Structure formats: structure tokens, C-alpha cells
Amino acid sequence: MAKAPVLTPQADDFPRWYQDLITKAELADNGPVRGTMVIRPYGYSLWERMQQEMDARIKRAGAENAYFPLFIPQSYLTKEAEHVEGFAPELAVVTHGGGKELDEPVVVRPTSETVVNASFAKWVQSYRDLPLLINQWANVVRWEMRPRVFLRTTEFLWQEGHTAHATYEEARAYAEHIHREVYADFMVNVLGIDVVLGRKTPGERFAGAINTLTLEGVMRDGKALQMGTSHELGTNFAKAFGTRYLSKGGEQELVWQTSWGSSTRMVGGLIMAHGDDQGLRVPPRLAPVQVVVLAIKDDPAVLEQVHAIGERLTAAGVRVRVDDRTDTPFGRRAVDWELKGVPVRIEVGPRDLENGTVVLARRIPGSKESVAPNAVDALVPDLLEEDQQRLLSESRIRRQALTSEAATVEEAADVALAGGVARIPWATLGEEGEARLAEHSVSVRCLIAEDGAVPDRDDAPGNVALVARAY
């Protein structure tokens, strides 16, 4: 009788495969309140690595970390009409506290533009206070009707940046810098996902923004995933909160603002972009554990070699875990580490030592070879880098293979519904065609220029719409 697979095969049921993997790789569980999640230690270690890499890039961009309140007066949200209208269906509102009805209901933070501006209006007095560049790592709540762990949850973790500038040009340049040098650099060079950088259509734009820049990944099932966004807010929130500065010329001027965010949704993107029927495949630059060294049996010589290899790899700058839990069957441990997507396993048993070798198993290409124990610390760093590039290349090839040209709205919808991405001239599609696509649960993920660059404006000649189904 054939052995049942550990995971539902992707080709049979991709959503079931996704849920199986989250459970069996011990990434997360559903929380007690519908739409919430419990992130388990290994899943959180992936998020921590994302935080570390992103935080370093955010700080290089000049932003400093701060923290703003979880509770926001309801009246704050009503100050910017488009903003409150955009978020109204997702708001969680607290009406009672301390056993009493509150004088004013408070909203549980869905995003922080309003509460940040309440502070910015106090902090910014003069042009000397600008630019003001702030980021926070926090949780937010958006009431989700169709939850899916990591992708759409009522509460999720994220970073949100908020900045104030003296001019439109400065704000625009900073939003673009975050888009390219923070988000794209991280997603391409660490996550190994070949994201498309583009501009959201007016219909898909962040509520209260004058422009939204997006990064769209294409998952293994052909659906798109919005991985992060960077917004130009213009002066909309500055007007609402009176965020002004005294210019060099002695005039009171409104500040120009940006906001930008990425979230635990990136963990879902990591799973769906790189995972296979055996489990996760974690890019080596991201991996909390780059190499696991496994003792096959409880043998003194084996345990000595396992720890010696672990120490040498650690000294070489590799993130290592030594697995000497020989009271647990080796096969089970090997499958568990494969599910978790650790890039390299080094397996050491008595027979290997008799032959003067150890087994080096690479998760990403799925290969195994026998090598000398003293060669491991010289080999592994190069193999990790090779496998990092392999994942990015696979992601790029897949995106290109799944993308095709469409001449009509109907053709674009057919491509998307078949599990692909359609390119169609925005002049052909337009807002009317966008609305027709929405009837089929298909959306315009972004606009790009003919040469693949990010357009300067929505109606720039030659703009191309990328159309797909999305998570």
C-alpha cells in the first residue's frame, strides 16, 4: 500500500496544502477568536528574521522607531473623510471600559495615520523639524470576514512608517525610496521573491492617499499577493490635523506626508512562493536555522562529531542547530526539518563515520551527497548562497511563465481565472474594464510602464495593467 503523503499535494488542493503546511511545520494555529492566529515559535522566528532585515533597511533610510497608542479616538478617523470611509467596514470599536460606557468610543488601531498626525501636529513647528521620519512595529486590527492564517487575519503584526516633509517632491522621493531600497531590496534579495514594482490604480489606492506604490508577488498557484505598499498622502492628513510648519520664508505651510507598511502577510508569501509538496523551502539569507546537524544514533563518536561540526559552522558565521535528540526516531526528525524548510541538513551516523564521511542534504534543490566532515564548514557558505539565488531564479521564471498578453477585458479575465497574470494596456482596460473584472473576482494588481518601470502617473501613455486573482 502506498504511503500517504505528509501534505496534501499542491496540484490536488493548494489551499489545503497551505493549511497542512502551516500546521505540520508548526508555524501557527487559529486563535480562540475567529480570524485571529497564534504564531508558534518557528513561525515567529521567521517573522523575527524579517523584522531584523527590514528594520536595518528602514534605519538606513533615516527613519527612527517609535510607538503610538493601540486605541484611537473615533473622532480622529472622521477627520479625513476618504480614510474613514475606506476603513469603516473593518473597524473594531470599543464602547465600554472600566465597567462604564465611554464618553467617546475608541477604535482599535487599523492603521495609525490619524493618531500619528495628532503627534506630528505638536512636534512639527519649523522647517528645521523636517523631514520627520518615524516607523513603528506594532499589531493592528481589521475585522476580517474571510480569514486565512498569515494572509488575512483580524489581528496581524506589521511595521508602519510615517513621515512628514517640506515639499511634495521630497515626500514623493521618499515614498519611492522605501518602495525600492527597503521593500524591493528585502523581498528580492532576502525573501528570494521576484516581486513586480508598480502603481495602484485609483480604485485600489490606499484610502486617503494620492498615490500608492505596491510590490506584487506571484504565488505557485498563479495568484498574486500584495507584499507591501508605500503611499504618498499629499497634504490630506496635514489639512485634517493642522500639521504645519514655518517655512524659511516665514510662511505657515502644510507638510507633505508618506506612510508605508509590510506585515506578517510576508510569511504567507514565503510559504506560497517557495514551498513544495515536502514542505517549506526557506531562503538561506532569511532562515533562522540555515543548517541543522543531526545525530542519527546515540553513539559517542557520532555526538562528538555532530557538536564539532556545529561549532565550526557557527564560527564560520552560519546559523546552526544541533539536533542530538536520539530518543526521537531519525526519520521523524529528518521529515520535521524538511517540513520547516531548513536549507541544509548534515546527517551523521556510525556508518558514515566508518566511511570517513557525513551526508549533506540540500532542501532547496533536493539533493544529497557524502562529504568529508572537515570539508563541511568550507562548503556550506557557498552552497547557501547558491541556493538563495536558485529560489530567486525559480520565482522569476515562474512569474514570467505565468504572465501573458491580453487584448481585451475578456481575455484578461480568462487568463486570471485560469491561474495566470494578464498584461493589458490600461488605455484598453480603464476603470470601466476594472469594474467588469471585479465581477469575476479579478483585480488590477498594479500599473507598470511599457519598459517595466513604475509609471509617474495613472494616465501615462503606454501604461500596462497587470491583472490577476489575488489573496
Side-chain angles (χ1 to χ4, degrees):
M1 178 179 283
K3 188 176 179 181
V6 176
L7 303 174
T8 301
Q10 290 183 359
D12 291 354
D13 189 335
F14 194 85
R16 174 51 57 190
W17 166 84
Y18 178 80
Q19 192 57 52
D20 283 354
L21 179 49
I22 286 173
T23 300
K24 294 184 179 180
E26 299 179 336
L27 300 180
D29 287 330
N30 289 314
V33 174
R34 184 180 181 277
T36 62
M37 63 177 169
V38 176
I39 305 176
R40 300 187 64 175
Y42 188 67
Y44 198 82
S45 72
L46 294 170
W47 175 240
E48 283 182 311
R49 286 285 304 138
M50 292 180 183
Q51 282 184 300
Q52 291 163 16
E53 293 282 350
M54 290 280 289
D55 198 58
R57 287 164 172 79
I58 288 168
K59 285 172 177 166
R60 284 202 296 271
E64 297 180 289
N65 286 336
Y67 186 78
F68 293 85
L70 174 67
F71 296 122
I72 302 172
Q74 192 174 47
S75 60
Y76 279 24
L77 271 78
T78 62
K79 289 188 177 186
E80 213 292 325
E82 188 178 343
H83 189 67
V84 69
E85 183 181 351
F87 279 98
E90 301 174 323
L91 296 181
V93 182
V94 179
T95 59
H96 289 72
K100 298 179 181 179
E101 185 172 354
L102 301 178
D103 292 336
E104 178 185 354
V106 297
V107 172
V108 183
R109 172 176 55 217
T111 182
S112 298
E113 280 76 10
T114 57
V115 71
V116 165
N117 262 279
S119 291
F120 277 17
K122 293 187 292 183
W123 298 348
V124 175
Q125 303 296 322
S126 159
Y127 69 90
R128 296 183 183 89
D129 300 320
L130 299 174
L132 182 55
L133 313 175
I134 296 294
N135 178 64
Q136 79 164 342
W137 293 93
N139 62 338
V140 292
V141 171
R142 298 178 185 178
W143 215 258
E144 183 57 57
M145 296 297 104
R146 293 180 295 279
R148 185 172 296 181
V149 174
F150 289 123
L151 299 177
R152 289 188 176 276
T153 48
T154 294
E155 180 191 11
F156 55 89
L157 306 180
W158 77 345
Q159 60 72 213
E160 53 175 318
H162 300 273
T163 71
H165 304 262
T167 68
Y168 163 74
E169 290 76 15
E170 288 178 18
R172 181 176 186 174
Y174 197 80
E176 291 173 350
H177 181 82
I178 294 294
H179 192 218
R180 290 190 314 270
E181 304 303 324
V182 174
Y183 290 158
D185 181 66
F186 167 71
M187 292 169 193
V188 172
N189 295 315
V190 178
L191 288 187
I193 298 176
D194 182 48
V195 290
V196 176
L197 281 69
R199 179 186 182 101
K200 286 292 190 184
T201 65
E204 292 284 334
R205 192 177 292 156
F206 177 74
I210 62 171
N211 181 32
T212 290
L213 303 172
T214 184
L215 301 100
E216 302 286 329
V218 178
M219 304 296 101
R220 291 170 72 93
D221 63 347
K223 286 187 180 179
L225 182 70
Q226 179 180 291
M227 302 283 288
T229 48
S230 182
H231 315 290
E232 296 176 54
L233 302 180
T235 58
N236 290 343
F237 290 90
K239 288 174 184 174
F241 287 84
T243 313
R244 292 181 168 85
Y245 71 98
L246 186 66
S247 71
K248 290 181 181 180
E251 300 292 327
Q252 286 288 328
E253 304 279 356
L254 291 167
V255 299
W256 295 80
Q257 292 184 271
T258 76
S259 68
W260 26 278
S262 62
S263 74
T264 38
R265 169 177 282 205
M266 291 191 295
V267 179
L270 170 74
I271 296 166
M272 296 192 298
H274 297 319
D276 62 18
D277 285 348
Q278 282 68 54
L280 268 176
R281 294 189 303 164
V282 182
R285 292 181 189 169
L286 178 76
V289 180
Q290 294 173 312
V291 178
V292 60
V293 190
L294 291 97
I296 294 176
K297 289 192 175 180
D298 185 11
D299 176 279
V302 167
L303 295 174
E304 181 181 354
Q305 185 66 263
V306 160
H307 285 280
I309 291 171
E311 289 170 6
R312 293 202 310 273
L313 285 170
T314 298
V318 177
R319 294 186 289 276
V320 182
R321 179 80 57 85
V322 171
D323 185 347
D324 56 5
R325 301 169 297 155
T326 53
D327 55 342
T328 300
F330 167 74
R332 176 178 171 182
R333 288 183 287 138
V335 168
D336 284 347
W337 289 115
E338 189 169 59
L339 279 166
K340 287 179 165 64
V342 172
V344 173
R345 297 195 313 275
I346 297 171
E347 302 168 355
V348 185
R351 190 174 300 171
D352 301 307
L353 294 185
E354 287 175 11
N355 296 330
T357 62
V358 296
V359 174
L360 191 152
R362 296 166 64 186
R363 176 69 182 88
I364 290 163
S367 62
K368 277 191 176 187
E369 60 180 314
S370 294
V371 301
N374 59 7
V376 166
D377 40 318
L379 279 173
V380 164
D382 288 341
L383 296 180
L384 291 173
E385 189 55 31
E386 183 181 311
D387 289 347
Q388 177 78 33
Q389 298 306 319
R390 183 187 297 267
L391 282 180
L392 178 59
S393 177
E394 286 182 9
S395 175
R396 180 170 295 127
I397 290 168
R398 182 185 311 113
R399 179 183 64 79
Q400 291 170 345
L402 289 169
T403 303
S404 57
E405 302 293 330
T408 66
V409 176
E410 290 71 28
E411 284 183 16
D414 288 344
V415 168
L417 293 171
V421 179
R423 288 170 46 97
I424 181 171
W426 178 239
T428 300
L429 185 66
E431 293 184 7
E432 182 182 339
E434 187 176 20
R436 287 163 58 193
L437 289 174
E439 296 172 3
H440 301 282
S441 299
V442 173
S443 59
V444 177
R445 303 315 306 154
C446 62
L447 301 176
I448 60 173
E450 283 182 297
D451 63 358
V454 180
D456 289 334
R457 60 182 199 271
D458 300 331
D459 59 352
N463 276 359
V464 175
L466 294 187
V467 171
R469 297 178 69 197
Y471 285 100

